[in-house]
Amino acid sequence: GFGNVGCPTAIKLNQKGAIIVGASDINCALWNPTGLDLNELGKIRKNKGGLSQYKKPVRKRLGPDKLDWLLEAPCDILVPAARPDAITSKNIDRIDCRIILQGANNPSSKAVEYYLKHRRNILSLTDFIVNAGGVIGCAVELNLMKNRSYANKVKAKGLKAYTEKLVFDTVSKNVQEVYKRMKEDSIFRDTATDLAYERLKSKEVWL
């Protein structure tokens, strides 16, 4: 899903050297193994017709009734960033990637993630860790209203710059911590859940 989560994620991954081979919205799905033009996708994504207005060459262009094929297209990192339950028992054996970065809320389930890791050797990074930007941003806004010294600190750095850095640092630190704690037979979700409960009990502030 090339929306408010998928679009900036694609841009940031591309800046790190990734080639974006697939993108979709409610109008169409595009797949090109040599890469898509992110500048054009960004310009048209909010226009009438959305990604169906993409003019550059593609290997596959699929209509609204076949959007789910893009989930099964070969890639290194799959980012389901549109709807819940995108990856289920119905397509689990056709997913063709190394890592799933959950950009949507609940795009898969615990049982699916067990199967992916232990039967398919695919690591799925759980939404409440890697897709926590909105929650972190909300926490910043709440703290701005309650804490004047905090508000002054954020204002000095610029709200957008401060929040983006906080999201990046927090998510990165949490992912690294989960990786460090994971055991061979565990999945990312279970270890992340244990970490979340531990943080809640400690009542630490992460801003």
Side-chain angles (χ1 to χ4, degrees):
F2 201 74
N4 291 334
V5 173
C7 177
T9 300
I11 291 170
K12 289 182 184 299
L13 286 171
N14 183 249
Q15 289 170 347
K16 295 294 184 180
I19 298 171
I20 309 304
V21 297
S24 68
D25 61 9
I26 61 171
N27 303 287
C28 88
L30 306 168
W31 183 69
N32 193 41
T34 60
L36 298 170
D37 186 329
L38 287 184
N39 288 329
E40 182 171 346
L41 290 176
K43 290 176 182 176
I44 65 175
R45 73 183 187 92
K46 291 187 177 181
N47 294 344
K48 184 178 180 180
L51 300 195
S52 66
Q53 302 303 307
Y54 187 76
K55 304 299 183 185
K56 301 290 179 69
V58 294
R59 182 77 61 85
K60 283 185 179 287
R61 183 186 296 266
L62 304 164
D65 58 332
K66 295 183 178 179
L67 298 178
D68 283 351
W69 179 87
L70 197 62
L71 292 166
E72 303 165 14
C75 61
D76 293 308
I77 302 173
L78 174 63
V79 186
R83 58 180 174 80
D85 298 318
I87 302 171
T88 67
S89 59
K90 294 180 180 179
N91 61 6
I92 195 172
D93 283 312
R94 296 191 299 274
I95 301 299
D96 189 4
C97 66
R98 293 169 55 203
I99 295 173
I100 297 173
L101 183 65
Q102 297 186 10
N105 294 327
N106 301 312
S108 67
S109 66
K110 182 175 179 176
V112 166
E113 289 160 26
Y114 264 106
Y115 187 94
L116 286 168
K117 182 171 186 260
H118 295 297
R119 297 290 185 89
R120 303 289 319 286
N121 196 30
I122 297 172
L123 179 65
S124 188
L125 305 182
T126 314
D127 58 350
F128 64 84
I129 293 289
V130 298
N131 185 21
V135 175
I136 295 169
C138 227
V140 169
E141 291 181 4
L142 287 171
N143 213 27
L144 287 173
M145 294 186 286
K146 296 192 301 182
N147 190 324
R148 181 171 292 180
S149 63
Y150 178 78
N152 290 335
K153 180 180 76 171
V154 172
K155 184 178 180 180
K157 294 182 179 181
L159 178 59
K160 182 178 179 181
Y162 174 86
T163 305
E164 286 190 354
K165 185 178 186 305
L166 180 63
V167 169
F168 178 84
D169 290 346
T170 304
V171 172
S172 298
K173 185 187 299 182
N174 288 338
V175 169
Q176 290 169 14
E177 182 66 22
V178 173
Y179 270 131
K180 187 169 69 176
R181 295 178 178 217
M182 280 182 71
K183 298 176 182 178
E184 188 174 347
D185 61 344
S186 64
I187 62 171
F188 192 94
R189 177 187 291 268
D190 285 345
T191 309
T193 300
D194 290 342
L195 177 62
Y197 278 121
E198 183 182 306
R199 294 270 176 81
L200 286 170
K201 289 178 181 178
S202 71
K203 298 181 181 179
E204 291 182 63
V205 177
W206 291 79
L207 288 178

